Amino acid sequence: LNEDRFRFVLAPTATPASHALIHSSTLKNMTSNMQQNQTEKVITAEVSPSALAVVDEVARRIAASGGGALFIDYGRHSCLGDTLRAFYRHEQLSPLCDPGLVDLTIDVDFQACGRQAAKVEGAAVFGGLEQGEFLGRMGIVERLQALLNN
């Protein structure tokens, strides 16, 4: 694969998109940290408008018709940090190398998704849970024991 032909750039201040997509208290903390930080540490916030739109639609349907939804994916509880990665033939590469040839992935911001769903009247949000805790509550230890006993 070819070397990177693109590069990331850092906005000098909060952008209109960041104001629209990031919870206001998170943005305020981020910009405050950016201005006070003397070590030039880069703070990354990843947002996914399409993920928020999907969560919003699911929450509206559940509020209108009943039911529930379980969202499972790699992710974190917060949107701060850089999780954008690229893979090609099972090797991790720069996300900017060979656009269209590498598979891109990013962790889900479950906190933002939960806030979006909670905005829908009639929808309730529970969670999130780490994978181990979820599997434990679902009875994985008992299932393993049953399998070992047979």
Side-chain angles (χ1 to χ4, degrees):
L1 295 175
N2 295 327
E3 294 295 317
D4 295 353
R5 294 177 298 233
F6 299 98
R7 65 186 177 107
F8 290 106
V9 296
L10 181 63
T13 62
T15 65
S18 66
H19 282 288
L21 297 172
I22 299 175
H23 190 260
S24 61
S25 64
T26 302
L27 181 61
K28 185 183 293 184
N29 290 339
M30 285 175 58
T31 55
S32 172
N33 290 340
M34 290 170 97
Q35 293 166 357
Q36 294 174 6
N37 194 340
Q38 301 296 322
T39 63
E40 303 243 346
K41 181 179 175 184
V42 175
I43 298 173
T44 303
E46 298 168 337
V47 293
S48 174
S50 57
L52 299 179
V54 167
V55 167
D56 186 74
E57 179 64 23
V58 170
R60 289 182 190 288
R61 289 182 184 204
I62 290 170
S65 303
L70 176 64
F71 292 91
I72 300 174
D73 203 339
Y74 293 101
R76 298 190 235 178
H77 188 65
S78 171
C79 64
L80 298 180
D82 181 10
T83 68
L84 177 61
R85 302 174 298 282
F87 291 92
Y88 181 77
R89 296 186 176 167
H90 308 288
E91 182 182 346
Q92 187 169 343
L93 304 170
S94 166
L96 301 178
C97 83
D98 287 322
L101 295 179
V102 296
D103 294 322
L104 299 176
T105 185
I106 191 168
D107 288 354
V108 175
D109 181 355
F110 286 108
Q111 186 178 47
C113 291
R115 276 196 311 268
Q116 186 67 36
K119 292 178 185 177
V120 176
E121 187 175 336
V125 177
F126 304 97
L129 296 174
E130 295 287 327
Q131 181 181 25
E133 183 178 353
F134 174 78
L135 293 173
R137 289 184 183 188
M138 295 301 295
I140 195 169
V141 173
E142 294 79 5
R143 177 68 179 141
L144 175 62
Q145 193 60 50
L147 290 171
L148 292 174
N149 291 338
N150 289 329

